[in-house]
Amino acid sequence: MARPPRPRPREARTPVIHRFAVNAAEGGRATPAILCHCAPIHRPWSLVPRPHAHPAFVIAPFAAPADTSLVELIRDIGRRILRLTVYVGGLTVMIGRLLASLPQILGSARLVVYQMLTMGVRSLPLIILTSVFTGAVSAWQAAYQFQNFVPMRYLGTAVGKAVVIELAPVLTALVVAGRVGASIAAELGTMRVTEQIDALEVMGVDPVRYLVMPRVTSGALMMPVLVLFSDFVAIMGALIVAVLMVHLSAATFLNGVKLFFHMSDMYAGLFKASIFGIIISLIGCYQGFQTRGGAEGVGRSTTGAVVIASVLILISDYLIATMLFRV
Amino acid sequence: MIAIRGLSKSLDRRVVLNRVDLDVAKGETLVVIGRSGCGKSVLLKHVLGLMKPDSGTVTIFGKQLDQLDRTHLYELRMRCGVLFQGGALFDSLTVAENVGLGLSENTSKSKAEIADIVAERLEWVGLAGVGPRAPSDLSGGMRKRAALARAIAMDPEIVLYDEPTTGLDPITAEGINDLIVRLRERLKVTAIAVTHDMNSAFKIGDRIAMLHDGHIIFDGSVDQVRNSSDPIVQQFIAGATTGPLEPL
Ligand SMILES: Nc1ncnc2c1ncn2[C@@H]1O[C@H](COP(=O)(O)OP(=O)(O)OP(=O)(O)O)[C@@H](O)[C@H]1O
Ligand SMILES: [Mg+2]
């Protein structure tokens, strides 16, 4: 009976480097260091040394014949594009299933409320802490830049705008990404590797409806609430600095806040918060669903969830800004 | 009831299943035996569409899985129960909520009705009174039995058991064997059971199939297995270290 083919070892799959070693040896240009250390190295042009790679390989690509490393470079770019495409494709499919499950939201109201409570309780203390200091430091920095140029009664105006439009939504989102996004990815990732998601599937319970929809809905609804808290606490933090350190009266500072305060700024901040909330939970869920390979895999998807969500938050913040605020 | 045709699956570029054909008639229990890592769990995962075959088809209740949309697939799955090898209990829920989840999500039964069914199923597996506890507080064997209770909570017509008696003491294992036989005899459950435990295999199985190197190398009644002249089958059921299979 034929034995199934075994996966080829890593060395065999990356012959490029061996070929380079031989080429170099033939050309008489090889140094012992390069010959010894390039065999297990996967991507010779990478400028970031990786733990298993010897520093020698960082130098190697510049000596390598152009064609071999170029081929491997193109191959690697191709692999990355492919992986990205698969990721975005999978995410799109999940969003599709999520939208399809939205009509059942009322039947899952209990799950949504539970997620909202967890999300709020988990992140509120940290958000209050970060917001106080965000407000405080922005008041201090604004005062530093105002001195001798801008009257201090505008301090509240500057701080208020910055907090409501940018600081509170973005910093809250980053905190929640680290707190809630990570725990969603870890929880669902564990469920994936212990077959609990498979178990839902075979019980006829759609995991997207049961696990993803409540979390994403709760993200969309709860983030604006958290950002409102953050707005308030940050402005209080700024007020404390204004009164105690800049020696402004509380009334002057608060009048400054009110001076050019537009409700539309507030709405924009809350709208952004909602989008960020969706991004955080969606990426957390998707990372969790994608998890492979035991506890280590769970760790990987958790870190990935925080990194990807944070990057997407900052990018979408810029995109939303250009759409909502005309210069 | 279950028909598997030409099922092939490779995982990580390794062929796990290679053109597997299997049939299970209504009311019959098929036991699949085979060495650890030979693909028994993978085979079970294909039966309810948890894994997609590279080629070949799976038909249950006369419907070919790859031709069903999600809604219809879920409808079929609700008529099935699965005992996962690792239990796969939801650790955010209590044991009772685990057992009752299918009922509370998919049926309009009242809380009291569900509680009654849950209590009854837990009693069947010898876990009466364990309902309020968290799965993480249970022993390995108790978890397995709780998972079994969950698998049979919705009166399934098809049940897939992945190693139902692994990790149980001989007496409890015997009780679970009895339960599986009872389900087959009274409720006419159609089942595929994966096991290493030959005692259990002979007891619960109408038929035994052996999976080896991606193929079904033997498929026959319990008596045919006992009298099989195939050296691999003989070595496996005797648990001998000498023969065509290497022990490690
Ligand atoms: N999700 C997966 N990804 C990659 N490989 C897998 C996956 N699931 C199983 N395999 C591989 O498929 C093979 C068969 O696994 P399977 O779990 O079906 O074995 P098994 O027969 O159930 O063994 P055991 O009796 O120990 O449970 C193994 O070599 C395993 O490494
Ligand atoms: Mg198995």
Side-chain angles (χ1 to χ4, degrees):
Chain A
M1 225 161 290
R3 280 189 170 273
R6 299 195 169 278
R8 285 180 294 162
R10 171 166 263 231
E11 278 83 349
R13 270 182 268 140
T14 51
V16 178
I17 297 135
H18 297 288
R19 227 186 302 138
F20 158 60
V22 173
N23 285 348
E26 279 168 2
R29 282 178 283 118
T31 66
I34 292 175
L35 278 181
C36 304
H37 295 296
C38 41
I41 294 163
H42 196 44
R43 285 173 291 176
W45 61 87
S46 169
L47 292 176
V48 185
R50 283 174 307 146
H52 65 273
H54 188 277
F57 92 102
V58 182
I59 307 161
F62 302 109
D67 62 323
T68 51
S69 65
L70 195 66
V71 168
E72 189 64 6
L73 170 68
I74 291 170
R75 232 181 246 163
D76 187 69
I77 293 176
R79 247 182 249 127
R80 276 155 194 264
I81 292 177
L82 205 65
R83 234 182 306 159
L84 183 69
T85 318
V86 170
Y87 192 90
V88 174
L91 190 59
T92 314
V93 169
M94 200 174 82
I95 294 173
R97 283 177 65 182
L98 175 68
L99 294 178
S101 71
L102 277 183
Q104 302 172 52
I105 194 165
L106 284 182
S108 314
R110 205 177 49 84
L111 296 172
V112 176
V113 171
Y114 177 77
Q115 287 302 328
M116 288 175 69
L117 290 178
T118 330
M119 198 170 178
V121 169
R122 255 191 205 147
S123 29
L124 200 54
L126 204 56
I127 287 173
I128 288 176
L129 192 73
T130 46
S131 302
V132 170
F133 284 100
T134 306
V137 78
S138 49
W140 185 250
Q141 289 292 356
Y144 169 71
Q145 293 180 40
F146 276 13
Q147 55 188 336
N148 306 330
F149 292 108
V150 184
M152 282 298 169
R153 64 193 156 91
Y154 293 122
L155 188 63
T157 319
V159 171
K161 285 254 177 199
V163 163
V164 169
I165 297 177
E166 280 300 330
L167 292 176
V170 172
L171 289 176
T172 306
L174 293 178
V175 168
V176 173
R179 199 94 180 85
V180 177
S183 76
I184 291 177
E187 187 185 356
L188 300 201
T190 308
M191 292 186 74
R192 165 62 82 200
V193 300
T194 55
E195 298 180 317
Q196 294 177 45
I197 292 181
D198 286 342
L200 281 176
E201 284 266 357
V202 297
M203 292 168 90
V205 179
D206 182 357
V208 173
R209 203 259 310 150
Y210 189 75
L211 299 172
V212 180
M213 194 263 279
R215 284 171 174 78
V216 175
T217 316
S218 130
L221 298 179
M222 206 60 197
M223 265 300 284
V225 177
L226 292 173
V227 168
L228 267 182
F229 268 99
S230 171
D231 284 341
F232 177 75
V233 174
I235 289 175
M236 287 305 116
L239 175 68
I240 294 170
V241 169
V243 172
L244 294 185
M245 315 287 288
V246 189
H247 306 298
L248 229 55
S249 80
T252 316
F253 179 82
L254 291 177
N255 276 332
V257 174
K258 274 189 270 177
L259 194 56
F260 290 109
F261 185 86
H262 300 301
M263 262 335 255
S264 62
D265 291 345
M266 187 81 161
Y267 294 144
L270 298 184
F271 169 73
K272 279 205 293 201
S274 194
I275 300 287
F276 296 159
I278 293 174
I279 291 176
I280 293 165
S281 347
L282 201 58
I283 295 296
C285 290
Y286 186 60
Q287 286 288 114
F289 271 49
Q290 288 281 303
T291 304
R292 219 142 261 136
E296 198 192 337
V298 175
R300 243 180 289 127
S301 7
T302 308
T303 329
V306 179
V307 172
I308 295 172
S310 305
V311 170
L312 289 181
I313 284 166
L314 295 174
I315 294 175
S316 61
D317 183 44
Y318 173 74
L319 294 179
I320 296 173
T322 56
M323 282 189 305
L324 290 186
F325 303 96
R326 296 270 156 220
V327 181
Chain B
M1 200 73 158
I2 304 173
I4 299 170
R5 289 284 170 276
L7 180 64
S8 297
K9 180 73 176 182
S10 300
L11 288 164
D12 291 339
R13 290 190 238 172
R14 213 176 68 91
V15 180
V16 177
L17 299 176
N18 190 358
R19 291 198 295 276
V20 169
D21 294 307
L22 269 181
D23 282 278
V24 189
K26 193 167 166 49
E28 185 182 43
T29 297
L30 171 73
V31 172
V32 177
I33 57 174
R35 301 196 69 184
S36 182
C38 73
K40 303 181 297 295
S41 299
V42 169
L43 179 67
L44 281 193
K45 285 192 182 162
H46 280 89
V47 174
L48 291 180
L50 288 176
M51 282 188 174
K52 300 251 176 315
D54 294 337
S55 64
T57 59
V58 177
T59 309
I60 60 173
F61 301 112
K63 305 231 169 53
Q64 200 174 311
L65 290 188
D66 51 11
Q67 293 175 352
L68 295 174
D69 60 21
R70 193 169 289 281
T71 327
H72 290 103
L73 183 61
Y74 280 163
E75 273 167 22
L76 286 194
R77 282 175 176 170
M78 278 176 220
R79 298 162 65 187
C80 306
V82 182
L83 168 62
F84 284 87
Q85 187 167 0
L89 293 172
F90 307 118
D91 35 34
S92 54
L93 305 180
T94 65
V95 171
E97 286 167 338
N98 262 283
V99 178
L101 185 73
L103 293 164
S104 59
E105 289 293 321
N106 295 326
T107 66
S108 52
K109 285 193 164 56
S110 74
K111 278 213 170 73
E113 283 173 292
I114 293 176
D116 284 347
I117 298 174
V118 168
E120 180 193 50
R121 298 303 138 104
L122 284 175
E123 203 188 314
W124 284 6
V125 298
L127 290 180
V130 175
R133 289 168 69 179
S136 53
D137 295 347
L138 303 187
S139 77
M142 288 165 88
R143 256 177 257 167
K144 192 112 216 183
R145 285 183 284 153
L148 177 59
R150 185 178 71 184
I152 56 178
M154 289 178 72
D155 294 323
E157 296 159 64
I158 293 179
V159 186
L160 309 178
Y161 307 97
D162 199 341
E163 309 200 356
T165 55
T166 311
L168 302 182
D169 67 85
I171 299 162
T172 317
E174 207 48 30
I176 296 299
N177 288 337
D178 284 341
L179 175 63
I180 293 175
V181 171
R182 221 162 54 224
L183 288 172
R184 183 186 73 197
E185 283 172 357
R186 298 222 193 117
L187 304 174
K188 305 283 174 244
V189 166
T190 308
I192 301 183
V194 164
T195 184
H196 297 289
D197 175 354
M198 289 315 298
N199 173 33
S200 161
F202 289 137
K203 184 140 193 237
I204 63 179
D206 295 305
R207 253 171 62 222
I208 295 183
M210 179 158 178
L211 187 64
H212 182 70
D213 263 349
H215 298 279
I216 298 290
I217 58 164
F218 180 90
D219 182 353
S221 71
V222 171
D223 289 332
Q224 283 171 322
V225 180
R226 283 214 175 90
N227 304 323
S228 162
S229 58
D230 186 318
I232 296 182
V233 176
Q234 272 313 320
Q235 189 191 346
F236 191 91
I237 62 174
T241 51
T242 52
L245 303 174
E246 291 156 25
L248 287 175

